[in-house]
Amino acid sequence: MSSEQDLGITESKQHNTGEWYAEVVKKAGLANYGPDGMSGFIVTRPRGYALWEAIQQELDSKFKATGVQNAYFPMFIPESYLEREKDIVEGFDPEVAWVTHGGHDELEERLAVRPTSESIIAPYMAQWVRSHRDLPLRVNQWCSVVRWEATETKPFFRTKEFLWQEGHTAHETHDEAWDETMTRLDQYAELYEDLLAIPVLKGQKPGHDKFPGAHKTTTVEALMPDGKSVQAGTSHHLGTSFAEAFDITFSDEDEETQPAHTTSWGLSWRALGALIMTHSDDQGLVLPPTIAPEQVVVVPIWQEDTKDDVLDYADGVADDLADSGVRVELDDRDERNPGFKFNEWELKGVPVRIEIGPHEVEDDEVTIIHRPDGESITADRDDIGETIQEQFDEVYAKLYAAAEENLDDSVRDADSREEILGTLGQHGGYVKAPWCGDEECEDPIKEPLAAEIVMCPFDDEETVGDDETCAICGDDATQTAYFAKNY
Ligand SMILES: [Zn+2]
């Protein structure tokens, strides 16, 4: 049994996307499935968790630079708290896991394992806010939440427990809460575009698909190579519904008591799912240099008579890279040949490989290979730190361009039910159609195709003409709906 066979990816991304994805996650060492009897749970391995940490660091610094502080609230929510905002109860009730016993004793009141934390954070915000001088109030927590969905496990995309951040803010006015909602949405879009090399569409969820109790839910959507959309992060303007349910009030400058306007916003490890799905290939994981745990692997290639010189030189290159702040690994294992090493590091998603053999030593050069497309470049040994940064930019640009091309080619227009169904069935991607705003006009698409309205653009007033009619029912159109299959 060849170990190369065990190591490599056997499924095809194009033909068997689901199995291929599961294989990449497992063989690149990102996650394992949870124990038997706990379907829907995964174990995140150090390599997977390192990617999550990189996302955390990026977002956390953005949040802190814009007035957010971290806090932590209990993972349990008393049932009576959850019931105070009726939309939350209705929205999450089928997915809530309950704690009924503490040790051997039955609890007087059941405790929900948080499916989201508005219901336990809002009552404390109510205590902390007294006057307009206490506003805006912005807290964020990094935690996990549990939603007991009975669906097939897909690591990072669909799990019962998932890691995320949830931000919660309170403001004096409706407009300030809207600015906050959009600030966070923009930060999510930047995370995707600047760290994960994934372009996103920004918009709002249709009214019937808002967060329970929200005035408006905004979303960033990312298109996967299989033509399905991922809801990649959401930011909610909650209006005053939570403030009214939980008494978050403040006295304004005239000493009048007013309800606060609140927001909440969350981004989960689904971002990792999108990252893996977007860039990886039939050789394994592909990561942008911005997030890769090892940005460069240096592989020395030697014969017995050249070994000392090659290893010496490779060691120096790796040291120089490390000194210039590059995350670099020198693979000088004796027991593996270069071909095996190439395959292994490709599987693990290291974006740039440097090969060093006797020729490179002799010519004072290095050979640089880009993981995404195998492009090979010969560069001078001197200024390797600077050279490698340019190569990182090129690799990033290649990954972004490929994802952008997929997105640009996958937004199509339709103006009848048949055309929406036909286009989605044939191509996937997004199908734009004028829409009246009524949920009933989503059903004729949802039932046969399991596609739904994933978002409507913000600039609807400008894009929907006066004479346009709903593609489904023929009434006046008020919005442009983006239909898509989704994760
Ligand atoms: Zn309609």
Side-chain angles (χ1 to χ4, degrees), residues 302-315 356-358 361:
W302 70 77
Q303 305 292 330
E304 267 323 298
D305 60 331
T306 53
K307 184 175 178 182
D308 288 348
D309 286 346
V310 168
L311 279 182
D312 234 27
Y313 187 89
D315 209 32
I356 291 168
V361 176

Side-chain angles (χ1 to χ4, degrees), residues 19-282:
E19 286 77 3
W20 164 85
Y21 176 83
E23 203 182 12
V24 170
V25 167
K26 179 162 176 264
K27 290 190 171 172
L30 304 178
N32 292 136
Y33 290 97
D36 291 344
M38 276 180 62
S39 75
F41 290 84
I42 61 168
V43 172
T44 310
R45 298 182 62 182
R47 195 168 183 78
Y49 201 78
L51 299 176
W52 179 240
E53 285 178 314
I55 288 175
Q56 276 188 313
Q57 282 164 17
E58 180 84 2
L59 270 186
D60 208 60
S61 63
K62 285 180 190 294
F63 293 161
K64 284 174 179 161
T66 45
V68 181
Q69 293 178 304
N70 285 331
Y72 189 77
F73 293 80
M75 69 186 297
F76 300 127
I77 304 178
E79 186 167 16
S80 56
Y81 279 47
L82 209 57
E83 283 173 344
R84 281 171 70 178
E85 209 296 319
K86 66 173 179 20
D87 292 321
I88 279 271
V89 183
E90 282 171 24
F92 286 102
D93 189 52
E95 302 175 358
V96 173
W98 294 99
V99 176
T100 58
H101 286 73
H104 297 296
D105 302 324
E106 188 168 346
L107 302 178
E108 276 179 37
E109 181 177 2
R110 294 198 296 173
L111 301 176
V113 181
R114 61 184 166 217
T116 180
S117 300
E118 281 77 5
S119 303
I120 191 149
I121 293 180
Y124 288 88
M125 291 178 111
Q127 294 182 31
W128 300 339
V129 173
R130 286 282 170 267
S131 118
H132 62 95
R133 280 176 292 272
D134 299 322
L135 297 174
L137 175 65
R138 298 184 178 98
V139 293
N140 173 67
Q141 74 172 345
W142 291 96
C143 64
S144 75
V145 292
V146 171
R147 296 179 187 173
W148 212 271
E149 293 179 277
T151 48
E152 204 187 338
T153 311
K154 202 174 185 69
F156 307 120
F157 278 121
R158 206 163 274 280
T159 50
K160 289 195 178 89
E161 180 185 20
F162 56 86
L163 295 177
W164 79 344
Q165 59 70 219
E166 47 179 318
H168 299 265
T169 70
H171 306 266
E172 281 186 65
T173 68
H174 181 92
D175 288 352
E176 283 173 35
W178 178 247
D179 288 346
E180 178 76 17
T181 306
M182 291 306 290
T183 296
R184 303 311 158 194
L185 193 73
D186 289 343
Q187 289 178 336
Y188 292 158
E190 285 167 22
L191 176 87
Y192 279 92
E193 294 179 349
D194 301 343
L195 188 76
L196 306 181
I198 301 175
V200 291
L201 297 176
K202 285 189 269 190
Q204 49 190 323
K205 287 287 172 188
H208 59 267
D209 197 23
K210 287 184 306 197
F211 180 79
H215 162 67
K216 199 164 266 190
T217 285
T218 67
T219 180
V220 286
E221 297 282 327
L223 184 68
M224 297 297 100
D226 62 356
K228 291 186 191 170
S229 187
V230 172
Q231 181 181 299
T234 49
S235 181
H236 316 288
H237 189 314
L238 299 174
T240 55
S241 60
F242 283 84
E244 278 157 13
F246 291 96
D247 271 336
I248 309 175
T249 57
F250 64 96
S251 58
D252 66 15
E253 284 175 23
D254 305 320
E255 302 290 318
E256 301 271 345
T257 302
Q258 305 285 355
H261 301 259
T262 67
T263 77
S264 67
W265 23 278
L267 182 136
S268 78
W269 70 14
R270 187 180 278 188
L272 293 182
L275 173 74
I276 299 159
M277 182 68 89
T278 299
H279 304 301
S280 303
D281 61 21
D282 289 353

Side-chain angles (χ1 to χ4, degrees), residues 435-438 441 470-475:
W435 176 49
C436 65
D438 191 338
C441 286
C470 174
I472 310 290
C473 71
D475 287 351

